[in-house]
Amino acid sequence: MHAARSPSPSAAAVGLLVTLLAATAPAAPDAAPAPDRPHIIVILADDLGWDDVSFHGNDQIPTPNIDALAYHGIILNNHYTLPLCTPSRSALMTGKYPMRTGMQHNVILAPEPWGLPLEERLLPQRLRDLGYATHAVGKWHLGFFRREYTPIFRGFHSHFGYWNGHQDYYSHNVQASFAPFEGYDMRRNMSVATDAVGKYTTRLFTEEAVDRIRRHDARQPLFLYLAHLAVHAANYEVPLQAPAEAVARFAHIADPERRLYAAMVHELDLSVGAVLQALQERGMLQHSTVLFLSDNGAPTRGIHANRGSNWPFKGVKATPWEGGVRTPACIWSASLRAKHRVSNQMLHITDWLPTFYGLAGGNVSSLGRVDGVDVWRALDEAAPSPRREVLINLDDVSAYAALRLGNFKYVNGTSLLGFLDEWHARPEGPADPAYDVGAVLASPAARALRGALAAGAGAGPLDPHVVRVLREAARVQCAGPDPKAPRCRPRKRPCLFDVARDPCEERNLYTPQLGALFETRLAQLRAEAVAPRNKRGDKRADPARWGGVWSPWADGVHE
Ligand SMILES: *[C@@H]1O[C@H](CO)[C@@H](O)[C@H](O)[C@H]1NC(C)=O
Ligand SMILES: *[C@@H]1O[C@H](CO)[C@@H](O)[C@H](O)[C@H]1NC(C)=O
Ligand SMILES: *[C@@H]1O[C@H](CO)[C@@H](O)[C@H](O)[C@H]1NC(C)=O
């Protein structure tokens, strides 16, 4: 079945299949005082591939908690991000395409003195202005060379986590990617959190998020930004790391690296379950909107490769192909009406800023020039997406530009000289894969969501049959290459694909006539672009000068 051509099961049809299982739901906790606006919970995975969640059809690594969230809510199967961490996170935080803020090229490398421009008002600042308590747990990667760039100066009431792009899952040391520098990177606000040493990062962040929820005064709306390290690779020597008991669950995976990777995904999945459970225990879940997404595709190959899979898409992290930018994503909210469905509405990571701002009671028209669109109504009503185009990216340093207009995607040039522009086979699975719907419906996430429903929120709980229907509808399959179609050589000539029919970008349709529309639009967008802010690494950043800790070196203050 072809995802784009197959009709998503309509809310009504699926609704018929939904049976009330309320009797099996745990009793709702004493209702917490309801805030006047929803709690907003964003769980951002790092470098998680399209096929690394089992709701997309992968039988090798079960993700029952993430799947439960997806099936109870909306599977966002047409959700785009930027191809790399820093650009994607800048877009989430500002609602703007990175080419407007100078964040379009590459990531912030550890010793580089730049960050997301201070004149930008970020999502946490905007929600804080509307009365939200704003807490960040996990990765930042939007600059720390001066303290003003770090989370608690950018609108978060608190932050527990790290400022760089990755770290060791136990020592929390960061080796710079291209410099001989290494240092510790775990902070509680501005203090060095030395008590974290030796504890697995994913679990630390989960405990912190759960603790934040438990201590939160539920009368105040909460914005919780949980940005996991998982499933990014750690430092070069030991890139894949997971607790032994998690690894032991995946004995059926022969490839030892993929087995480790599966355990990393499993720990991420447990985190989603624990967060939903904590929200439910506090009586907050029925007043929450929960978004789960990945910042970009998996780096199956290339720098910081993990063993993630973007199958069946072309390309990996850092590339403009669907495998780099079309990410697993789902959203659940008690108040969303058209739930239990697969959405092919075109969405972009910039959309969450206006969407959440509107949900929080803000005046979206007052946001000024943002690229994001408030998509809440379209999600709520299963109406066509108000978004007609997605600028995949415009990066004149890497020398590529990619734009989606309607169902068509245009790519001129490519990243990394085309070195990563390939399809990867699906990792070989166990001999007899069987998807365990029972485990999905018995997961902590499913129990928590049923509890929230029993407390009076939204549509009924899920039937196993609905789960199977949704999983089938969420699967993307491709026809395979067409030997008659002209090859795509994007460094010689632009390429064009109908990604609704050809999500694997195998049938190049480019002609100068068809390309002209895209080239005109790209020229308009390029006229609005600012120069990339990237700066060369600075020797003064070396943690050896700062007590072994990555610190805001340009401030010249020893923390
Ligand atoms: C820092 O952390 C503490 C405790 O987690 C919190 O209460 C405080 O408000 C935070 N923010 C700042 C800016 O210090
Ligand atoms: C929303 O903001 C716009 C632009 O600033 C303004 O014109 C409009 O009056 C505002 N609407 C409300 C209801 O405040
Ligand atoms: C493709 O991009 C290059 C620069 O990266 C530009 O010189 C060229 O004109 C573009 N091709 C088209 C057809 O616009």
Side-chain angles (χ1 to χ4, degrees):
M1 186 157 69
H2 193 295
R5 268 176 265 158
S6 65
S8 308
S10 75
V14 173
L16 289 176
L17 301 169
V18 173
T19 333
L20 275 171
L21 293 171
T24 64
D30 291 341
D36 50 352
R37 274 82 43 80
H39 306 297
I40 296 171
I41 317 294
V42 175
I43 304 178
L44 181 62
D46 198 342
D47 289 3
L48 181 73
W50 177 266
D51 198 39
D52 293 333
V53 287
S54 50
F55 73 76
H56 276 157
N58 160 12
D59 286 317
Q60 197 183 46
I61 309 176
T63 52
N65 289 288
I66 298 169
D67 292 15
L69 181 69
Y71 300 137
H72 279 88
I74 305 175
I75 295 174
L76 305 174
N77 251 15
N78 219 339
H79 179 277
Y80 286 90
T81 63
L82 276 293
L84 285 169
C85 304
T86 294
S88 245
R89 285 154 209 264
S90 77
L92 177 65
M93 288 292 161
T94 60
K96 296 182 184 176
Y97 290 141
M99 61 103 190
R100 287 193 206 284
T101 55
M103 308 300 286
Q104 64 271 49
H105 175 65
N106 214 340
V107 301
I108 302 171
L109 297 172
E112 291 179 348
W114 61 291
L116 185 55
L118 295 177
E119 57 271 23
E120 294 299 329
R121 284 190 81 66
L122 308 192
L123 176 59
Q125 280 166 323
R126 294 189 184 277
L127 294 177
R128 188 169 163 161
D129 291 346
L130 296 173
Y132 276 64
T134 58
H135 298 287
V137 178
K139 167 164 164 172
W140 182 237
H141 213 185
L142 292 172
F144 68 91
F145 72 107
R146 283 177 34 213
R147 57 199 287 134
E148 286 75 13
Y149 286 83
T150 66
I152 61 168
F153 292 87
R154 305 304 305 264
F156 284 108
H157 285 109
S158 78
H159 174 232
F160 172 72
Y162 60 103
W163 291 338
N164 276 288
H166 70 279
Q167 60 169 215
D168 185 279
Y169 280 79
Y170 293 99
S171 74
H172 314 304
N173 277 2
V174 179
Q175 285 172 353
S177 296
F178 302 105
F181 301 156
E182 176 166 353
Y184 188 71
D185 190 3
M186 193 65 91
R187 299 265 173 170
R188 188 172 288 285
N189 294 349
M190 298 307 289
S191 313
V192 181
T194 47
D195 56 336
V197 176
K199 297 181 191 150
Y200 190 64
T201 305
T202 308
R203 294 185 179 181
L204 273 176
F205 291 164
T206 304
E207 281 165 23
E208 179 73 15
V210 166
D211 190 51
R212 271 280 153 228
I213 291 163
R214 290 198 179 133
R215 286 192 287 137
H216 179 69
D217 176 350
R219 285 167 302 190
Q220 187 184 13
L222 168 70
F223 172 52
L224 177 64
Y225 174 58
L226 172 54
H228 271 292
L229 167 62
V231 289
H232 198 293
N235 296 318
Y236 292 125
E237 291 97 15
V238 195
L240 302 172
Q241 302 177 331
E245 71 272 20
V247 181
R249 300 175 64 95
F250 296 94
H252 61 277
I253 301 180
D255 173 348
E257 290 186 348
R258 178 77 180 166
R259 194 186 311 141
L260 271 168
Y261 181 72
M264 292 160 70
V265 174
H266 171 71
E267 290 287 322
L268 172 69
D269 182 66
L270 293 181
S271 178
V272 172
V275 168
L276 294 185
Q277 200 172 28
L279 288 166
Q280 168 60 5
E281 280 163 8
R282 288 295 320 283
M284 290 165 63
L285 188 55
Q286 73 252 35
H287 308 298
S288 297
T289 295
V290 184
L291 171 70
F292 174 86
L293 74 169
S294 180
D295 62 343
N296 45 248
T300 312
R301 275 207 321 121
I303 184 172
H304 296 304
N306 59 20
R307 292 305 306 272
S309 169
N310 307 308
W311 186 88
F313 292 144
K314 175 180 179 173
V316 297
K317 174 181 177 178
T319 72
W321 312 107
E322 298 288 271
V325 295
R326 195 162 150 188
T327 55
C330 59
I331 191 165
W332 179 89
S333 168
S335 71
L336 268 178
R337 284 171 294 171
K339 288 202 276 270
H340 306 168
R341 68 184 180 95
V342 177
S343 154
N344 282 305
Q345 294 155 300
M346 200 196 309
L347 305 175
H348 187 251
I349 190 167
T350 52
D351 295 337
W352 300 115
L353 181 132
T355 300
F356 291 153
Y357 192 70
L359 266 189
N363 176 0
V364 175
S365 325
S366 72
L367 287 172
R369 176 129 208 199
V370 293
D371 296 294
V373 182
D374 179 355
V375 294
W376 189 257
R377 207 174 134 201
L379 291 174
D380 189 37
E381 297 175 355
S385 173
R387 177 176 276 287
R388 303 257 71 90
E389 72 173 39
V390 166
L391 177 64
I392 304 290
N393 200 10
L394 204 168
D395 178 351
D396 288 336
V397 181
S398 296
Y400 77 88
L403 174 68
R404 184 167 162 182
L405 292 179
N407 289 342
F408 292 87
K409 179 172 159 188
Y410 169 98
V411 181
N412 177 17
T414 183
S415 56
L416 299 157
L417 309 177
F419 185 61
L420 300 176
D421 293 359
E422 56 200 14
W423 291 267
H424 292 270
R426 195 175 212 189
E428 279 175 34
D432 185 17
Y435 186 61
D436 190 349
V437 175
V440 173
L441 295 176
S443 65
R447 290 200 305 270
L449 292 163
R450 280 202 297 278
L453 299 172
L462 276 182
D463 177 279
H465 181 65
V466 177
V467 169
R468 290 198 191 86
V469 170
L470 289 172
R471 189 172 191 241
E472 195 52 39
R475 203 185 281 265
V476 167
Q477 281 177 21
C478 298
D482 177 355
K484 292 193 298 275
R487 257 187 76 187
C488 169
R489 289 192 173 86
R491 299 181 65 225
K492 292 202 156 60
R493 194 169 189 255
C495 305
L496 185 68
F497 304 94
D498 176 350
V499 285
R501 288 169 180 278
D502 175 25
C504 296
E505 299 168 284
E506 295 170 312
R507 286 141 199 262
N508 181 11
L509 305 173
Y510 178 82
T511 61
Q513 292 82 350
L514 290 173
L517 182 64
F518 292 81
E519 282 143 17
T520 305
R521 180 66 186 133
L522 278 170
Q524 286 169 353
L525 287 163
R526 181 174 273 107
E528 297 166 9
V530 304
R533 302 176 69 88
N534 309 65
K535 296 229 164 46
R536 280 180 192 285
D538 182 343
K539 285 199 296 290
R540 291 179 303 155
D542 185 354
R545 300 175 180 222
W546 302 93
V549 179
W550 289 102
S551 300
W553 71 91
D555 286 343
V557 180
H558 192 141
E559 285 296 325

